[in-house]
Amino acid sequence: MASSSSSSSSAAVVPLQSLQPDLHERAWTSVPHPSLPLVATAHGKNVTVFSLSTLSFHSTLADGHARSVRSVAWKPGLPPHELCLVTGSFDSSAGVWRWAREGGDGDDDGDGDGDGLGRDMTRTTADDGDSAKAGGDWDFNLVLEGHDSEIKGCAFSPSGTYLATCSRDKSIWIWEDIASAEGEDDWETIAVLNEHEGDVKAVAWCPDVPGRNSVGRRYYSVDVLASASYDNTARIWREDSDGEWVCVAVLEGHQGTVWGVEWEPRPKDDAFPRLLTFSADGTIRVWTLQQDEDGAGADGSAMPHGLGGIPSTMRRSFKEEWKCTAVLPKVHDKDVYSATWSAASGLVASTGSDGVIALYKEDSDSVAEPQAGSEDNTPDGAPRSTHDGQSTGGPQWRLLTTVPNAHGPYEINHITWCKRYDAGSTRRGEEEMLVTTGDDGVVQSWQVDITSP
């Protein structure tokens, strides 16, 4: 383990155990359930769900796709006895899966709170691989078709109303589950976004936190989507008052593919959430929305109260200014495939093709002097926010520690913060750990220890 790079505190990232069984094939991503002790891992043509209580196999989603599953997303906001998982595949389709539970409403203990499922859902079936012993099985309910090429990412909005999928075909599709109230699957496409100039690698919805509606609340919906692309940019999208999804910002500055985007899960002082972008150029950038206290635009002009009746070419001139306010210390010498931002501690962890795990802490007392940047408004009206400097006028970050060769010689494709529910946790459901997913097919859990002087 590497030691901390800061004299004010020390950090260690210590392996706990790999989730069993190992998958024995390249694994792409592991996504924790928003409220239950479950994590879903995409690998091959399948998805394996692990229990975070036992750190072992729970169930498998199989025989739904003709090619590899690249991404997964849990639908939020469902009662604990209902599960819905969406899979994005290289076969150009997205699959909607529902957990078909044996025995009804999930209230095994009879107290009416439904927590029986919470226990049932985390039982392991590692002994014989029979997923039915976990109290149910997965049904492949629906195929969402429309993309012309491989689906690289999928994500649900915080309310679960919208699903975004992105593809090698350079497009983003936004879907709405219009029959969810009836417990059925009836999805319709509400938008197709085609402004990226390369493969769209990832999509992420802004979390439902205070401050999310402080800008544009009079002419944009509450939902905000970010996307990352092979065209070296990230983009910010919103739905306007006429129900059309528009690109309100293009974030430029990376010198290679932007592999992903990660929103700040718990911003300070009710500020609008910041955005992390990470790239093939080996850097991680923090972007901040520029806003006045009264909600006016970045140029100081008052925002209109509505956009009804305004031609679309004029609507698209309304923009947001996003500035790169920090570049994290350079650690990775190759592509940064994944970064994750903790809601509990505010720490950021990253990993990538060099097999290194890096841990960073924001130093709010240290602010760098801004360097020159530029903004170029393109013909379609979407502002291009650019910053190539390493010091960007915002709070700076410091490296706490690194773990080299975290998966041996293999690339690490994904890293995420996960709540701990296992027997070794002292604060079950509150304490955090890291989970990494690699080309070796291993899903590895890590304990993070921070020691203050």
Side-chain angles (χ1 to χ4, degrees):
M1 296 304 142
S3 61
S4 169
S5 63
S6 171
S7 60
S8 60
S9 62
S10 60
V13 179
V14 182
L16 290 171
Q17 69 177 69
S18 61
L19 280 64
Q20 298 294 329
D22 294 341
L23 302 173
H24 305 299
E25 58 188 339
R26 174 183 292 173
W28 290 107
T29 184
S30 295
V31 179
H33 188 279
S35 57
L36 293 175
L38 300 170
V39 62
T41 297
H43 60 99
K45 299 177 183 178
N46 303 326
V47 173
T48 294
V49 178
F50 294 98
S51 164
L52 293 176
S53 294
T54 60
L55 299 181
S56 60
F57 173 84
H58 171 271
S59 56
T60 300
L61 292 72
D63 303 322
H65 291 285
R67 296 183 63 192
S68 293
V69 176
R70 180 61 177 84
S71 57
V72 297
W74 295 96
K75 186 173 185 180
L78 297 176
H81 61 279
E82 295 181 19
L83 295 177
C84 176
L85 193 69
V86 168
T87 50
S89 171
F90 282 4
D91 66 10
S92 307
S93 72
V96 181
W97 303 73
R98 299 276 181 176
W99 177 256
R101 186 185 179 278
E102 297 177 351
D105 62 6
D107 189 26
D108 292 345
D109 55 6
D111 62 4
D113 62 6
D115 65 355
L117 177 73
R119 289 192 297 274
D120 192 43
M121 284 300 300
T122 59
R123 288 173 54 187
T124 177
T125 62
D127 292 340
D128 57 10
D130 182 5
S131 63
K133 288 192 176 183
D137 210 342
W138 290 95
D139 286 342
F140 189 56
N141 279 13
L142 188 68
V143 178
L144 304 179
E145 296 179 308
H147 284 289
D148 294 331
S149 189
E150 303 165 356
I151 291 180
K152 299 295 184 71
C154 57
F156 275 101
S157 63
S159 66
T161 301
Y162 298 131
L163 171 74
T165 57
C166 63
S167 169
R168 186 178 179 181
D169 65 13
K170 305 179 184 179
S171 74
I172 301 165
W173 287 51
I174 300 179
W175 314 75
E176 183 177 5
D177 184 1
I178 60 177
S180 58
E182 290 76 30
E184 301 176 358
D185 282 303
D186 186 5
W187 298 66
E188 68 176 12
T189 308
I190 62 171
V192 178
L193 313 177
N194 290 305
E195 295 185 28
H196 274 296
E197 299 173 0
D199 301 15
V200 187
K201 304 300 298 182
V203 284
W205 294 90
C206 183
D208 190 6
V209 298
R212 191 177 68 164
N213 304 329
S214 61
V215 169
R217 61 185 180 276
R218 287 170 289 184
Y219 62 102
Y220 287 130
S221 71
V222 297
D223 293 297
V224 186
L225 181 68
S227 58
S229 172
Y230 252 60
D231 64 13
N232 301 357
T233 73
R235 290 178 181 253
I236 308 294
W237 310 83
R238 291 181 185 254
E239 185 183 22
D240 68 18
S241 61
D242 285 346
E244 293 191 19
W245 285 85
V246 295
C247 178
V248 296
V250 180
L251 312 185
E252 291 188 316
H254 285 294
Q255 303 302 309
T257 298
V258 182
W259 285 107
V261 284
E262 173 88 358
W263 289 96
E264 181 180 17
R266 189 170 297 173
K268 300 176 182 178
D269 302 322
D270 290 344
F272 195 88
R274 294 171 293 174
L275 186 70
L276 279 180
T277 58
F278 36 95
S279 169
D281 64 13
T283 69
I284 304 168
R285 293 172 176 259
V286 180
W287 301 83
T288 303
L289 175 63
Q290 305 302 295
Q291 59 188 103
D292 294 337
E293 292 182 0
D294 60 359
D299 59 1
S301 60
M303 294 296 186
H305 288 279
L307 298 178
I310 300 177
S312 61
T313 54
M314 293 181 64
R315 276 203 309 269
R316 296 174 75 86
S317 67
F318 292 107
K319 59 182 172 60
E320 295 176 354
E321 182 182 357
W322 287 76
K323 288 187 176 180
C324 178
T325 51
V327 179
L328 272 61
K330 187 72 160 59
V331 175
H332 301 283
D333 57 12
K334 297 181 180 179
D335 298 48
V336 182
Y337 287 150
S338 182
T340 182
W341 202 332
S342 168
S345 66
L347 299 177
V348 166
S350 65
T351 193
S353 62
D354 59 5
V356 173
I357 296 174
L359 189 68
Y360 315 84
K361 179 179 177 61
E362 187 173 21
D363 187 356
S364 58
D365 296 329
S366 175
V367 178
E369 292 297 324
Q371 296 180 358
S374 65
E375 181 180 325
D376 172 27
N377 290 334
T378 56
D380 66 5
R384 296 186 178 273
S385 300
T386 305
H387 209 304
D388 298 324
Q390 297 298 303
S391 298
T392 50
Q396 297 304 290
W397 294 73
R398 53 192 171 90
L399 177 66
L400 291 179
T401 192
T402 60
V403 181
N405 302 313
H407 280 236
Y410 295 94
E411 294 188 348
I412 304 176
N413 296 312
H414 189 255
I415 188 168
T416 184
W417 292 100
C418 225
K419 291 182 179 179
R420 290 189 65 179
Y421 295 89
D422 59 282
S425 174
T426 57
R427 293 176 290 113
R428 193 172 184 268
E430 298 179 7
E431 187 178 358
E432 283 188 317
M433 64 181 179
L434 287 169
V435 172
T436 54
T437 308
D439 274 2
D440 54 357
V442 173
V443 183
Q444 176 70 44
S445 60
W446 304 83
Q447 180 172 310
V448 178
D449 296 321
I450 306 294
T451 303
S452 300

